[in-house]
Amino acid sequence: MRNPWATKTYNVGANPAGVAVGDFANNGYLDFVTANIEDNTVSFLLRPVVPWALSTSVGPRPSGVAVGDFTNDGNLGIVTANQDSTVSVLLTPFGPEYPYNVGQGPIAVAVGDLGFAYSWNQNSE
């Protein structure tokens, strides 16, 4: 019998500082995303589809990452806290980055439904 608690190690970007989980591939498996502070990337471990990490660029020195469905379409995106006083929003794991200025030196982010009737519009600010 296979041990479900056996340790498995994956290589991700340089100095991962945050981790979050979500089903990015919409296949019923929880996938992982890490915020990699030293190479300005996030790495996705898409289980069981891809047995290695896939990385994409985000803002400078991401330290925190959170997962959410920002467009209400059933597909997960991510948001990262970047140490240059921005957050990066990716509506899909490998979609374009939308940076937003925030207060000085964010280190963490969170996602939740605050009860607003809001739909993401990439053209509005």
Side-chain angles (χ1 to χ4, degrees):
M1 178 178 196
R2 193 176 137 230
N3 179 359
W5 306 111
T7 301
K8 184 135 182 149
T9 303
Y10 295 94
N11 290 325
V12 295
N15 195 12
V19 65
V21 296
D23 183 6
F24 296 104
N26 292 323
N27 61 4
Y29 291 91
L30 286 178
D31 306 309
F32 299 88
V33 59
T34 63
N36 309 312
I37 200 166
E38 292 300 323
D39 61 4
N40 306 329
T41 65
V42 289
S43 296
F44 293 90
L45 298 165
L46 304 176
R47 301 180 26 208
V49 178
V50 181
W52 59 84
L54 302 169
S55 296
T56 191
S57 296
V58 291
R61 302 183 58 77
S63 58
V65 61
V67 174
D69 178 2
F70 304 115
T71 56
N72 293 319
D73 63 358
N75 296 312
L76 295 178
I78 65 161
V79 60
T80 63
N82 308 317
Q83 293 182 4
D84 71 339
S85 300
T86 65
V87 296
S88 295
V89 176
L90 280 73
L91 300 179
T92 62
F94 300 100
E97 172 205 6
Y98 298 98
Y100 292 91
N101 292 322
V102 294
Q104 185 174 357
I107 58 172
V109 288
V111 174
D113 182 354
L114 303 176
F116 296 106
Y118 177 78
S119 178
W120 180 272
N121 182 343
Q122 300 164 27
N123 299 318
S124 67
E125 299 227 13

mmCIF file of all heavy atoms in Angstrom, residues 15 25 28 34 45 90 105 121-122:
data_model
loop_
_atom_site.group_PDB
_atom_site.id
_atom_site.type_symbol
_atom_site.label_atom_id
_atom_site.label_comp_id
_atom_site.label_asym_id
_atom_site.label_seq_id
_atom_site.Cartn_x
_atom_site.Cartn_y
_atom_site.Cartn_z
ATOM 1 N N ASN A 15 14.006 30.564 -3.506
ATOM 2 C CA ASN A 15 13.581 31.016 -2.185
ATOM 3 C C ASN A 15 12.062 31.206 -2.087
ATOM 4 O O ASN A 15 11.572 32.326 -1.922
ATOM 5 C CB ASN A 15 14.310 32.308 -1.805
ATOM 6 C CG ASN A 15 14.192 32.612 -0.335
ATOM 7 O OD1 ASN A 15 13.774 31.773 0.454
ATOM 8 N ND2 ASN A 15 14.545 33.825 0.046
ATOM 9 N N ALA A 25 -6.152 23.341 -12.584
ATOM 10 C CA ALA A 25 -6.396 22.573 -13.810
ATOM 11 C C ALA A 25 -7.853 22.120 -13.923
ATOM 12 O O ALA A 25 -8.225 21.481 -14.902
ATOM 13 C CB ALA A 25 -5.464 21.362 -13.858
ATOM 14 N N GLY A 28 -10.098 18.254 -10.297
ATOM 15 C CA GLY A 28 -10.410 17.613 -9.030
ATOM 16 C C GLY A 28 -9.214 17.399 -8.118
ATOM 17 O O GLY A 28 -9.371 16.908 -7.007
ATOM 18 N N THR A 34 3.640 28.627 -5.454
ATOM 19 C CA THR A 34 4.580 29.239 -4.515
ATOM 20 C C THR A 34 4.970 30.624 -5.010
ATOM 21 O O THR A 34 5.077 30.851 -6.211
ATOM 22 C CB THR A 34 5.861 28.399 -4.345
ATOM 23 O OG1 THR A 34 6.553 28.316 -5.595
ATOM 24 C CG2 THR A 34 5.546 27.006 -3.832
ATOM 25 N N LEU A 45 2.559 23.826 -9.354
ATOM 26 C CA LEU A 45 2.684 22.375 -9.408
ATOM 27 C C LEU A 45 1.292 21.845 -9.714
ATOM 28 O O LEU A 45 0.422 21.813 -8.846
ATOM 29 C CB LEU A 45 3.195 21.826 -8.071
ATOM 30 C CG LEU A 45 4.574 22.310 -7.664
ATOM 31 C CD1 LEU A 45 4.845 22.018 -6.200
ATOM 32 C CD2 LEU A 45 5.624 21.661 -8.540
ATOM 33 N N LEU A 90 -3.086 37.779 -11.333
ATOM 34 C CA LEU A 90 -3.111 36.942 -12.535
ATOM 35 C C LEU A 90 -4.474 36.269 -12.554
ATOM 36 O O LEU A 90 -4.808 35.523 -11.625
ATOM 37 C CB LEU A 90 -2.007 35.883 -12.523
ATOM 38 C CG LEU A 90 -0.604 36.336 -12.918
ATOM 39 C CD1 LEU A 90 0.029 37.172 -11.826
ATOM 40 C CD2 LEU A 90 0.251 35.130 -13.221
ATOM 41 N N GLY A 105 5.549 48.015 1.185
ATOM 42 C CA GLY A 105 6.084 46.715 1.571
ATOM 43 C C GLY A 105 5.093 45.649 1.998
ATOM 44 O O GLY A 105 5.251 45.073 3.065
ATOM 45 N N ASN A 121 -13.206 43.960 -14.269
ATOM 46 C CA ASN A 121 -13.121 44.604 -15.563
ATOM 47 C C ASN A 121 -11.697 45.115 -15.702
ATOM 48 O O ASN A 121 -11.291 46.040 -15.027
ATOM 49 C CB ASN A 121 -14.118 45.751 -15.675
ATOM 50 C CG ASN A 121 -14.091 46.413 -17.035
ATOM 51 O OD1 ASN A 121 -13.154 46.249 -17.805
ATOM 52 N ND2 ASN A 121 -15.126 47.162 -17.341
ATOM 53 N N GLN A 122 -10.941 44.506 -16.590
ATOM 54 C CA GLN A 122 -9.538 44.828 -16.755
ATOM 55 C C GLN A 122 -9.306 46.243 -17.254
ATOM 56 O O GLN A 122 -8.223 46.783 -17.124
ATOM 57 C CB GLN A 122 -8.876 43.838 -17.715
ATOM 58 C CG GLN A 122 -8.964 42.422 -17.222
ATOM 59 C CD GLN A 122 -8.666 41.452 -18.319
ATOM 60 O OE1 GLN A 122 -7.958 41.769 -19.255
ATOM 61 N NE2 GLN A 122 -9.215 40.265 -18.226
#
